């Protein structure tokens, strides 16, 4: 009887552990619409895809908050997700853009929510990158850069053989879109990125 109870408890434990363990999925690049929709939905975001472009080795998705005007990228917050994938390259950009009618204070408030979300989405889609650890490292960099809102940020980091580049444009420079972008790429894509040959910088 004791042996049967032990087997039942062991079986229940295995079921519990297996049901609580999240399967880590490795996405094929370039990513497709279904991948973007699934990841964004899993993050409980209000974003929805409003436009997309597909080429042989590249995909690009324009995403808007559901409350914004979906056909316009000059109003409200716009996010884009771009990817490149072939035998050599694996490249991803997730960025958010704030138009000129957003004040510095509005952008600061939005970035409290959007910045961790960008890290989360980029890390999950790209794979093999711990979003929380990466975000914590980035916050350490910001702590030593008190003027980042005025001067902007360019942060380069390497994790698990992948190159991560964070770019935040200054909030006071009057350009059409104030951007915050997370780039993750392999070595081949990074070399092209540094030579200025990739999209959406």
């Amino acid at each position: 009887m004791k042996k049967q109870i032990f087997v039942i408890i062991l079986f229940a434990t295995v079921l519990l552990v297996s049901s609580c363990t999240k399967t880590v999925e490795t996405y094929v690049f370039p990513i497709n619409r279904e991948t973007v929709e699934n990841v964004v939905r899993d993050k409980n975001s209000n974003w929805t895809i409003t436009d997309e472009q597909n080429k042989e080795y590249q995909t690009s998705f324009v995403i808007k908050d559901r409350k914004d005007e979906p056909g316009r990228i000059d109003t409200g917050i716009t996010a884009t997700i771009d990817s490149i994938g072939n035998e050599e390259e694996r490249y991803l950009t997730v960025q958010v853009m704030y138009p000129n009618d957003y004040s510095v204070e509005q952008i600061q408030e939005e970035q409290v929510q959007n910045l961790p979300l960008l890290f989360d989405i980029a890390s999950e889609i790209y794979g093999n990158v711990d979003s929380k650890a990466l975000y914590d490292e980035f916050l350490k960099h910001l702590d030593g850069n008190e003027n980042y809102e005025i001067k902007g940020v360019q942060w380069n980091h390497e994790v698990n053989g992948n190159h991560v580049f964070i770019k935040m444009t200054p909030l006071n420079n009057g350009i059409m879109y104030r951007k915050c972008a997370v780039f993750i790429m392999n070595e081949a894509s990074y070399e092209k990125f540094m030579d200025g040959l990739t999209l959406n910088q």
Side-chain angles (χ1 to χ4, degrees):
M1 183 69 175
K2 287 183 180 178
K3 187 176 181 181
Q4 289 175 334
I5 293 173
F6 175 75
V7 170
I8 291 170
I9 291 172
L10 181 63
F11 182 69
T13 303
V14 169
L15 281 178
L16 182 63
V17 170
S18 62
S19 66
C20 293
T21 304
K22 183 179 179 182
T23 305
V24 177
E25 187 165 356
T26 302
Y27 297 107
V28 175
F29 271 49
I31 56 172
N32 58 29
R33 184 187 183 102
E34 183 182 7
T35 296
V36 174
E37 288 176 335
N38 288 342
V39 171
V40 169
R41 184 183 61 244
D42 287 348
K43 303 301 176 191
N44 295 321
S45 168
N46 286 324
W47 293 348
T48 185
I49 295 171
T50 60
D51 191 23
E52 65 181 286
Q53 293 182 5
N54 296 282
K55 299 180 182 176
E56 188 175 4
Y57 298 115
Q58 295 182 4
T59 57
S60 181
F61 300 91
V62 176
I63 300 170
K64 295 287 291 182
D65 190 296
R66 289 193 182 97
K67 68 179 182 292
D68 294 328
E69 294 184 54
R72 299 179 59 182
I73 62 171
D74 61 331
T75 60
I77 298 170
T78 301
T80 62
I81 299 179
D82 301 300
S83 71
I84 297 173
N86 54 39
E87 291 179 0
E88 294 182 356
E89 290 192 70
R90 187 174 176 89
Y91 166 96
L92 180 72
T93 308
V94 180
Q95 67 180 329
V96 65
M97 296 173 281
Y98 306 94
N100 271 356
D101 62 356
Y102 270 53
S103 68
V104 170
E105 290 75 21
Q106 279 179 292
I107 296 174
Q108 288 170 338
E109 288 174 8
E110 292 287 350
Q111 282 187 167
V112 170
Q113 294 179 334
N114 289 332
L115 193 55
L117 183 61
L118 292 186
F119 275 77
D120 236 11
I121 290 172
S123 298
E124 181 165 335
I125 291 176
Y126 191 88
N128 199 29
V129 175
D130 183 329
S131 173
K132 185 180 184 316
L134 182 62
Y135 186 62
D136 289 346
E137 280 296 316
F138 180 66
L139 289 182
K140 289 178 190 174
H141 173 74
L142 286 189
D143 286 343
N145 182 6
E146 294 178 0
N147 296 321
Y148 75 91
E149 291 170 351
I150 298 169
K151 296 182 178 178
V153 174
Q154 291 192 36
W155 183 65
N156 221 330
H157 187 67
E158 191 172 342
V159 56
N160 297 333
N162 302 304
H163 295 272
V164 179
F165 185 77
I166 310 299
K167 185 174 182 179
M168 297 171 70
T169 56
L171 299 186
N172 65 340
N173 64 0
I175 61 173
M176 185 60 184
Y177 301 112
R178 275 79 64 87
K179 296 182 183 180
C180 178
V182 178
F183 301 79
I184 309 179
M185 59 205 106
N186 66 3
E187 188 66 36
S189 292
Y190 181 69
E191 289 176 8
K192 289 188 176 183
F193 176 82
M194 295 306 288
D195 289 338
L197 298 178
T198 50
L199 45 97
N200 280 330
Q201 291 184 53

